[in-house]
Amino acid sequence: MLVVLPGLEARILVVEESAKAPPPYSPIIASCAPKLPKNCGDEVKESVLGLEGSVPTADCCRQLVRWGKTCHDAFAQLLVSREPASQKSSILSNSKTIWEGCVDVEESSPIISSCAAKLSKNCGDEVKQSVLGLQGSVPTDKCCRQLVRSGKTCHDAFAQLLVSREPASQKSSILENSKTIWEECVEVVAQPPVSS
């Protein structure tokens, strides 16, 4: 009798411990985790949890945006699952604020800022809609000329920024659209302008 009782207690302890264990990583988190350095992950975690004075550095923000919104959102859901339910709305609100702030930091990065100055707002919108694959969206010849003048490095930087803002499932179509638009615009520039 004495031998069985400790065994039962041990089994009960194991069941209780597993009931308290955090949920396992989702496949998204498992694939995302290695892509963000630990120090940046810690900065984002502390900021999303609302720890006083915690804000990701500009460098961490750039890494977070490159990490992507899908990974960021999955990370926020993981944090929500590990904290009391009363903190859910605060965590999700902080997560949204951190993401938007970091996107602003990325947009103000030197390459994006200098590239944005080379395109008119209308042309930027045309390219964005085309790259996102919105039906019927094609840059005008005038916009193509601006885009090619801005350079492939700028075009690729814009495409990467768009990829970071959209669901991961759209990454390949955005990059393919970006490549197609660049090639079409290079062809437009190769043709002499039509005089009116």
Side-chain angles (χ1 to χ4, degrees):
M1 206 58 143
L2 292 173
V3 173
V4 174
L5 187 57
L8 287 176
E9 287 175 354
R11 271 188 257 147
I12 290 170
L13 179 62
V14 169
V15 170
E16 289 172 354
E17 285 301 315
S18 67
K20 293 178 185 176
Y25 279 174
S26 71
I28 294 172
I29 288 292
S31 70
C32 291
K35 299 175 188 172
L36 190 69
K38 183 183 178 329
N39 64 326
C40 185
D42 291 343
E43 286 181 29
V44 173
K45 176 182 175 182
E46 291 169 4
S47 301
V48 170
L49 290 176
L51 300 180
E52 194 172 330
S54 298
V55 179
T57 62
D59 184 51
C60 181
C61 271
R62 290 185 186 97
Q63 292 179 52
L64 178 65
V65 172
R66 283 191 294 273
W67 200 41
K69 185 151 180 23
T70 301
C71 289
H72 178 70
D73 290 347
F75 184 57
Q77 288 302 322
L78 179 66
L79 292 176
V80 163
S81 73
R82 293 180 170 188
E83 297 297 321
S86 61
Q87 292 184 358
K88 179 179 180 176
S89 63
S90 172
I91 290 171
L92 294 176
S93 175
N94 290 346
S95 173
K96 181 180 181 209
T97 301
I98 298 300
W99 177 258
E100 291 171 353
C102 283
V103 167
D104 288 346
V105 167
E106 179 63 15
E107 286 179 347
S108 67
S109 73
I111 188 165
I112 295 293
S113 295
S114 73
C115 291
K118 298 175 184 178
L119 291 180
S120 68
K121 181 175 179 348
N122 287 344
C123 183
D125 290 343
E126 286 178 31
V127 172
K128 177 182 176 182
Q129 291 170 1
S130 301
V131 170
L132 291 176
L134 300 178
Q135 195 168 8
S137 297
V138 179
T140 61
D141 288 359
K142 180 180 177 182
C143 180
C144 273
R145 287 177 174 42
Q146 283 184 36
L147 179 64
V148 172
R149 271 195 309 271
S150 75
K152 182 131 177 36
T153 301
C154 287
H155 180 67
D156 291 346
F158 285 133
Q160 287 301 321
L161 184 61
L162 289 175
V163 162
S164 73
R165 293 177 157 187
E166 299 298 322
S169 59
Q170 293 182 4
K171 178 178 181 175
S172 61
S173 68
I174 290 172
L175 294 176
E176 186 59 37
N177 290 345
S178 173
K179 179 182 175 195
T180 301
I181 288 157
W182 177 259
E183 290 169 355
E184 289 174 358
C185 283
V186 166
E187 285 182 32
V188 165
V189 171
Q191 303 298 317
V194 177
S195 44
S196 28

